[in-house]
Amino acid sequence: MDRFGTGHIHDTFVESTAEGRVLVQRINTSVFGDVDALMANLRTVIEHVRMPYSVVRQWVDHDGAPWRAITLVEGTRQPDPVVARADAPAVGRAIGAFHIAAADLDPNRLRVVLPAFHDPAARWRELETRAARRVDVDDELARLAALRHLADVADGWRPPDVPVRAAHHDAKADNVLLDVETGEPVALVDLDTVMPGSWLWDVGDMVRSVTATAAEDDPVGMAMDAAKWRAVMNGYVRVAGDLLTRAERAALPDAGPVVTWEQAVRFLADHVAGDRYYKVTRAGHNLDRARAQLALVESMVAQRSAMMRIP
């Protein structure tokens, strides 16, 4: 087997079989403690949304580690790490198409595999506790504290105005597959975090990942590209806009800043904790990720007027 991709959580490989190539993953049980719930959700979503792949099999190795094999969707590509403007509308359409397909999936059929996965206020409290005696991150903490109000914005994303739906919860650009020939969306992958929640979390991660002008761990070149924001939002709204409530639509400009701020908090908390959650390739990797997301959310806030004009 050969290693595949650059995912933060699982160990992923690709293997050739008589039926074609499959993705083979060792599931990270330090993140997903209830593997049965994880796999039940996955099967429910694949069947309901009619994804162009399937779970081939699931097993436990001799060390007790859980594994799974999933069909590899051939003839597709992921957007570049720094998403090209030309791909931005297709990413928006992909997220919108997933929302349309999942709109009639009862969220109560899905198990909550990661409680409080999107809870910016709780993430902030955790970071404050962990970083209480860490003077080396004082600047980052101060910059995050200046935008603490974004956590309060997210507190308003609740029923009845913002309904609970079957949401992806990790709808970033590199979880979108595009056709290698046409560039059109084919599928949304990495369904491990599909749980009950608000679609605004998906829109926020979509915006965070698409509009960036630099890689996720590059704080120097990071800012929001307003043209890419218009392109990805136009793609999303044209597909799924009619499904949104008035409150959801009004919250669209806040989704990107809220999720980007939360992600900066998460990266910094993991750096302080000793890099326990996200895989790193060097010392200070999560700190650079946090700084990059900080630069991105600060750029988003500075360009808020550009995000008020929903297509």
Side-chain angles (χ1 to χ4, degrees):
M1 294 189 297
D2 298 319
R3 281 201 171 269
F4 184 87
T6 57
H8 289 323
I9 307 301
H10 304 305
D11 293 320
T12 303
F13 308 85
V14 64
E15 182 175 23
S16 296
T17 71
E19 291 76 29
R21 294 195 299 166
V22 296
L23 292 179
V24 180
Q25 291 183 310
R26 179 168 48 226
I27 300 172
N28 186 339
T29 54
S30 67
V31 175
F32 293 98
D34 190 340
V35 175
D36 289 339
L38 173 73
M39 297 304 294
N41 280 1
L42 186 64
R43 291 187 175 94
T44 296
V45 175
I46 287 174
E47 179 181 352
H48 187 91
V49 179
R50 299 186 183 279
M51 292 292 191
Y53 51 86
S54 61
V55 179
V56 177
R57 60 192 180 99
Q58 176 186 356
W59 70 97
V60 176
D61 67 19
H62 62 277
D63 293 321
W67 292 74
R68 67 184 175 195
I70 302 174
T71 306
L72 181 68
V73 184
E74 301 286 4
T76 63
R77 65 175 175 85
Q78 296 167 294
D80 292 333
V82 181
V83 178
R85 288 183 182 178
D87 283 341
V91 174
R93 292 196 299 274
I95 307 302
F98 178 82
H99 285 173
I100 286 178
D104 60 349
L105 173 57
D106 182 355
N108 292 316
R109 292 183 60 196
L110 300 172
R111 308 264 289 275
V112 177
V113 292
L114 295 173
F117 181 65
H118 279 301
D119 188 339
R123 299 282 190 184
W124 175 247
R125 290 192 297 270
E126 178 187 13
L127 173 59
E128 284 188 306
T129 299
R130 287 183 175 180
R133 296 180 177 86
R134 291 287 297 267
V135 296
D136 58 317
V137 293
D138 279 353
D139 178 63
E140 289 76 19
L141 285 171
R143 291 165 65 191
L144 286 167
L147 297 171
R148 169 64 178 76
H149 66 279
L150 291 171
D152 298 329
V153 171
D155 281 341
W157 296 352
R158 301 183 185 280
D161 294 334
V162 175
V164 174
R165 305 181 186 269
H168 188 284
H169 284 98
D170 192 21
K172 55 190 178 184
D174 62 4
N175 282 334
V176 170
L177 297 181
L178 304 178
D179 187 280
V180 293
E181 298 293 337
T182 67
E184 288 299 301
V186 174
L188 198 57
V189 298
D190 196 358
L191 304 174
D192 292 341
T193 53
V194 176
M195 298 179 289
S198 170
W199 281 349
L200 292 171
W201 299 115
D202 292 355
V203 173
D205 232 344
M206 175 188 77
V207 168
R208 179 186 72 85
S209 58
V210 170
T211 65
T213 57
E216 188 178 62
D217 56 359
D218 178 8
V220 176
M222 182 63 83
M224 185 190 87
D225 183 330
K228 288 200 288 185
W229 185 89
R230 289 191 295 273
V232 71
M233 193 60 69
N234 184 67
Y236 175 77
V237 170
R238 283 182 180 274
V239 173
D242 289 345
L243 296 177
L244 303 178
T245 66
R246 181 174 298 181
E248 285 174 314
R249 195 175 180 92
L252 291 178
D254 293 320
V258 166
V259 173
T260 306
W261 182 85
E262 180 190 47
Q263 192 60 61
V265 169
R266 293 181 65 191
F267 281 141
L268 190 60
D270 200 32
H271 167 71
V272 171
D275 305 319
R276 298 176 182 175
Y277 187 90
Y278 295 109
K279 293 179 181 177
V280 297
T281 59
R282 52 183 167 78
H285 198 174
N286 275 322
L287 179 58
D288 280 344
R289 287 168 171 157
R291 288 169 173 166
Q293 298 307 292
L294 258 170
L296 180 56
V297 69
E298 288 168 344
S299 178
M300 287 177 175
V301 171
Q303 298 184 74
R304 179 171 173 77
S305 60
M307 294 190 289
M308 295 303 295
R309 297 187 291 274
I310 303 296

